[in-house]
């Protein structure tokens, strides 16, 4: 994270104060937003779930400098989940979200369209499930713009607060390394129980058609859940999982081979971390069992690009994995919501302006959010709903700048028209979309 010269205390306090007019909207749509970024027709509800995964290895209670104990300590691991879902048409009520900023102390109000605790819609068929997994640190609201957006199009979305990895609970990195994929699959199982129970969501959640969206360390977890195993070197890192606890995700191990869940049909990994520090190699990534969409900024200085996200895509299994690149964007490409107004201040403890956690040096955040909403909609609709027509939005000339806009007067396309589908004339710029050929 870039460091900034700190302001004087009075100015910093003034900037930190929340103006009464701050809206912090997560549902913004720019005039140049691509077609599938638009909200769907469904009313959206949102509610908070408190889940507990019993009997998990307690990474924080292990002393890496002490001899390995015969029995590793365990605990009941709490996970808070924010759930967005199709709600009864016309539902009204509170449409705000309360979220903490990157500083871990400032609570802000976000505004969207989802109605708090609205009654679920009574649909004729269950809705596919999408799990959302934030970075380190992050929280369940970091990609709320995407969660609410796709829920309006007929998805149930469960966004996870990963314990030891949020702004307020950030702790030993080893916990994130070991638990990220386990958290994802535990929440999937809990959502399946909700679907099969006799509660308000019984019969509403199609967990047999589940997708994952992970950002940074969430993308790392999505790769593991998809079948990508980590390297032996990463299991042995002294700063990683203590006493070899990351070995459960080692490529080729019995535990990792048994991990992937057939209910997970696809995943989107945004700026996935790990290749830059030796967690992946070609052997481990060849284990990915489902098609994945990777999204990255070409100037990512956290996960890296050529030797990071792009290398993951290039070494992934022989499936039609896709890579969407935002030219000149950094690690914050696509995923974070627009920076809340209250985040625009220099924090002395963190050593940087808190807004930098959400923004990019080149791209407008809302523009990137809209593009992500467009591509995730197309990708998930095709993979989880079997909507073959969405393939047209994913069959593109590689470089958006090379697309040709060529239309007849009646609005039909000429033979040489090759502009990116869903983008208005002049709006598909600075992007690349590449698809691996399945062998």
């Amino acid at each position: 994270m870039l460091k900034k010269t700190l302001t004087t205390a009075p100015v910093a306090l003034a900037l930190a104060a929340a103006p009464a007019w701050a809206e912090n909207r997560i549902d913004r749509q720019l005039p140049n937003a691509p077609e599938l970024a638009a909200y769907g027709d469904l009313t959206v509800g949102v509610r908070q779930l408190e889940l507990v995964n019993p009997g998990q290895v307690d990474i924080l209670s292990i002393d890496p400098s002490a001899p390995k104990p015969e029995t590793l300590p365990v605990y009941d691991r709490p996970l808070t989940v924010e759930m967005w879902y199709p709600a009864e048409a016309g539902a009204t009520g509170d449409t705000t979200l309360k979220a903490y900023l990157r500083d871990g102390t400032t609570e802000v109000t976000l505004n969207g369209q989802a109605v708090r605790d609205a009654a679920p819609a009574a649909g004729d068929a269950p809705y596919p499930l999408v799990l959302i997994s934030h970075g380190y640190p992050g929280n369940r609201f970091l990609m709320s713009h995407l969660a609410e957006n796709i829920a309006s199009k007929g998805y149930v979305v469960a966004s996870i607060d990963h314990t030891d990895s949020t702004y307020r609970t950030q702790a030993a990195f080893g916990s994130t390394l070991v638990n990220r994929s386990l958290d994802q699959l535990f929440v999937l199982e809990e959502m399946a129980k909700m679907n099969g129970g006799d509660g308000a969501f019984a019969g509403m959640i199609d967990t047999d058609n589940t997708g994952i969206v992970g950002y940074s360390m969430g993308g790392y977890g999505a790769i593991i859940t998809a079948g990508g195993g980590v390297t032996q070197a990463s299991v042995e890192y002294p700063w990683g999982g203590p006493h070899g606890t990351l070995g459960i995700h080692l490529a080729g191990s019995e535990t990792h081979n048994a991990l992937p869940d057939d209910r997970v049909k696809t995943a989107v990994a945004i700026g996935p971390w790990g290749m830059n520090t030796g967690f992946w190699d070609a052997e481990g990534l060849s284990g990915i069992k489902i098609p994945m969409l990777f999204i990255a900024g070409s100037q990512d200085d956290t996960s890296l690009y050529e030797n990071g996200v792009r290398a993951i895509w290039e070494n992934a299994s022989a499936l039609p994995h896709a890579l969407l690149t935002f030219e000149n964007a950094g690690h914050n490409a696509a995923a974070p919501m627009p920076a809340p107004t209250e985040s625009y201040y220099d924090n002395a403890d963190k050593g940087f302006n808190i807004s930098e956690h959400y923004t990019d040096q080149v791209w407008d955040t809302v523009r990137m959010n809209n593009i992500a909403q467009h591509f995730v909609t197309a990708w998930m609709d095709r993979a989880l709903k079997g909507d073959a027509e969405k393939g047209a939005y994913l069959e593109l000339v590689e470089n958006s700048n090379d697309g040709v806009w060529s239309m007849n007067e009646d609005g039909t396309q000429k033979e040489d028209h090759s502009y990116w589908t869903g983008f208005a004339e002049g709006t598909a710029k600075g992007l690349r979309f590449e698809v691996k050929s399945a062998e």
Side-chain angles (χ1 to χ4, degrees):
M1 182 63 68
L2 295 175
K3 303 296 188 291
K4 295 288 186 181
T5 302
L6 299 181
T7 57
T8 59
V11 175
L13 290 172
L15 289 170
W21 44 262
E23 288 194 337
N24 297 331
R25 298 211 66 88
I26 63 170
D27 58 348
R28 292 177 59 194
Q29 295 277 303
L30 296 179
N32 62 356
E35 180 183 344
L36 299 183
Y39 271 64
D41 297 330
L42 300 177
T43 302
V44 180
V46 62
R47 64 182 58 188
Q48 182 176 315
L49 308 176
E50 298 294 343
L51 307 178
V52 177
N53 191 4
Q56 299 305 294
V57 174
D58 188 357
I59 301 295
L60 301 189
S61 294
I62 299 174
D63 182 357
S65 63
K68 182 178 180 179
E70 290 187 9
T71 303
L72 294 173
V74 297
Y75 74 132
D76 294 339
R77 180 172 169 82
L79 295 170
T80 300
V81 171
E82 205 74 10
M83 176 182 175
W84 284 263
Y85 54 90
E88 284 188 353
T92 59
D94 181 16
T95 57
T96 63
L97 303 168
K98 295 291 187 180
Y100 281 91
L101 295 181
R102 172 65 179 86
D103 60 15
T105 58
T106 305
E107 188 178 31
V108 301
T109 299
L110 310 176
N111 284 276
Q113 299 183 20
V115 178
R116 176 64 56 183
D117 297 326
D124 296 328
Y127 300 101
L129 173 66
V130 174
L131 306 174
I132 291 183
S133 192
H134 61 74
Y136 176 86
N139 66 19
R140 65 191 189 274
F141 299 111
L142 187 61
M143 289 183 278
S144 55
H145 67 91
L146 179 61
E148 183 179 88
N149 184 284
I150 60 176
S152 74
K153 301 165 184 173
Y155 290 90
V156 172
V157 181
S159 186
I160 308 165
D161 256 4
H162 293 279
T163 301
D164 307 329
S165 190
T166 71
Y167 305 131
R168 306 193 77 202
T169 67
Q170 183 178 358
F173 193 48
S175 177
T176 294
L177 293 172
V178 172
N179 285 306
R180 189 52 64 102
S181 179
L182 303 180
D183 289 349
Q184 293 169 358
L185 291 177
F186 170 72
V187 172
L188 166 58
E189 186 59 30
E190 290 299 295
M191 300 301 286
K193 291 177 182 177
M194 290 174 59
N195 181 66
D198 56 5
F201 295 95
M204 184 180 183
I205 312 168
D206 182 8
T207 53
D208 287 336
N209 282 294
T210 294
I212 299 173
V213 177
Y215 170 49
S216 194
M217 290 310 299
Y220 156 91
I223 292 170
I224 291 177
T225 302
V230 302
T231 62
Q232 181 64 47
S234 67
V235 173
E236 298 172 358
Y237 286 154
W239 48 267
H243 295 314
T245 46
L246 185 59
I248 60 171
H249 301 315
L250 177 65
S253 66
E254 290 185 6
T255 48
H256 185 61
N257 288 342
L259 181 75
D261 192 309
D262 290 341
R263 293 173 294 183
V264 179
K265 298 298 193 293
T266 193
V268 177
I270 307 174
W273 181 92
M275 196 75 175
N276 51 315
T277 50
F279 275 74
W280 312 115
D281 59 19
E283 180 183 358
L285 293 170
S286 69
I288 294 176
K289 301 179 184 301
I290 55 176
M292 293 186 65
L293 169 61
F294 297 92
I295 301 177
S298 68
Q299 299 300 317
D300 188 332
D301 58 3
T302 298
S303 296
L304 304 186
Y305 181 71
E306 292 291 349
N307 297 319
V309 182
R310 186 174 186 85
I312 294 174
W313 171 72
E314 290 173 337
N315 285 281
S317 58
L319 291 171
H321 305 296
L323 173 63
L324 173 65
T325 302
F326 288 77
E327 298 288 1
N328 295 316
H331 187 61
N332 291 347
M337 65 183 178
T341 302
E342 297 90 339
S343 72
Y344 283 83
Y345 81 101
D346 292 322
N347 183 286
D349 292 334
K350 300 298 182 186
F352 56 86
N353 191 288
I354 296 301
S355 68
E356 294 176 15
H357 179 71
Y358 308 88
T359 58
D360 184 77
Q361 296 298 322
V362 174
W363 283 76
D364 175 78
T365 300
V366 179
R367 173 66 173 157
M368 292 192 294
N369 289 168
N370 290 166
I371 292 170
Q373 292 155 4
H374 171 86
F375 276 99
V376 170
T377 297
W379 189 267
M380 292 297 181
D381 279 3
R382 188 176 68 170
L384 302 182
K385 295 182 178 180
D387 186 351
E389 292 184 359
K390 291 302 194 302
Y393 297 90
L394 303 168
E395 297 163 2
L396 310 169
V397 296
E398 180 177 307
N399 190 327
S400 66
N401 296 359
D402 294 336
V404 175
W405 185 272
S406 183
M407 306 288 285
N408 294 303
E409 291 184 3
D410 63 0
T412 59
Q413 297 178 3
K414 293 183 179 180
E415 289 186 4
D416 63 340
H417 181 86
S418 62
Y419 212 74
W420 277 23
T421 305
F423 284 74
E425 183 178 8
T427 64
K429 300 294 182 183
L431 299 163
R432 272 185 292 157
F433 189 79
E434 303 166 80
V435 182
K436 290 182 64 172
S437 297
E439 298 177 3

